[in-house]
Amino acid sequence: MAIERTLSIIKPDAVAKNVVGKIYQRFEDAGLKIIAAKQVWLSEREAGEFYAVHKERPFFKDLVAFMVSGPVFVQVLEGDDAIAKNRELMGATDPKKAAPGTIRADFAESIDANAVHGSDAPETAAVEVAFFFPGLNVYSR
Ligand code: RTP
Ligand code: MG
């Protein structure tokens, strides 16, 4: 399996719930290394740019409003099959449909306030990592 990097965001609801450490523990227990991390409070412009693929979707406005409602923690996870592994740890987008034991099943309230974001493919992971950590390849090792 390939060593990959993926972008993870702990969204405002989970930060407000004070479960950042519990979520980090799940990444580490699954063998994913947190190779970069920072807390940021996104502007509307940044959140809109980050989720630009969803610009035409009916939920876009609510999504952006939610993502700027408080600070988030952004991290790069590295490990074998990191993109799929992180998506598995996260669970389904709607926490009501998320498998038991996943982050969203355990910590999320609704499809809007769903605790975490994770890149969904190698192409989006590369773009999203560069969006938040432009110097990463230079400085991480
Ligand atoms: P994310 O991008 O945040 O990791 O979530 P995801 O891949 O599981 O879901 P995605 O389809 O990319 O949607 C991005 C975020 O938009 C909100 N959403 N709301 N009301 C709705 O039908 C709806 N669908 C999506 C969710 O907060 C989702 O995380
Ligand atoms: Mg997505």
Side-chain angles (χ1 to χ4, degrees):
M1 240 175 274
I3 299 278
E4 292 175 337
R5 289 177 178 179
T6 189
L7 189 90
S8 158
I9 302 178
I10 301 181
K11 295 185 179 182
D13 58 318
V15 175
K17 269 189 179 171
N18 205 22
V19 292
V20 173
K22 288 196 169 101
I23 293 173
Y24 274 13
Q25 189 70 58
R26 292 183 182 213
F27 299 149
E28 293 180 347
D29 288 348
L32 295 175
K33 275 190 182 173
I34 301 161
I35 61 163
K38 63 182 176 186
Q39 185 188 40
V40 290
W41 195 321
L42 295 171
S43 66
E44 280 200 25
R45 190 180 159 168
E46 288 167 325
E49 201 182 319
F50 182 76
Y51 276 121
V53 291
H54 296 309
K55 213 166 45 209
E56 305 305 329
R57 310 285 285 277
F59 58 78
F60 179 73
K61 239 181 137 202
D62 288 346
L63 174 60
V64 169
F66 172 66
M67 290 301 288
V68 306
S69 67
V72 300
F73 277 75
V74 188
Q75 43 285 326
V76 178
L77 308 178
E78 185 181 83
D80 268 341
D81 209 14
I83 298 165
K85 200 179 269 182
N86 180 45
R87 298 284 297 188
E88 209 176 294
L89 293 174
M90 289 163 58
T93 308
D94 181 351
K96 288 195 283 293
K97 295 179 184 153
T102 59
I103 294 168
R104 282 169 167 164
D106 290 346
F107 302 120
E109 299 304 327
S110 67
I111 195 165
D112 299 303
N114 63 359
V116 278
H117 163 85
S119 309
D120 57 12
E123 300 72 31
T124 49
V127 171
E128 291 177 3
V129 167
F131 183 90
F132 283 108
F133 297 98
L136 187 63
N137 286 317
V138 178
Y139 297 116
S140 69
R141 305 202 169 189

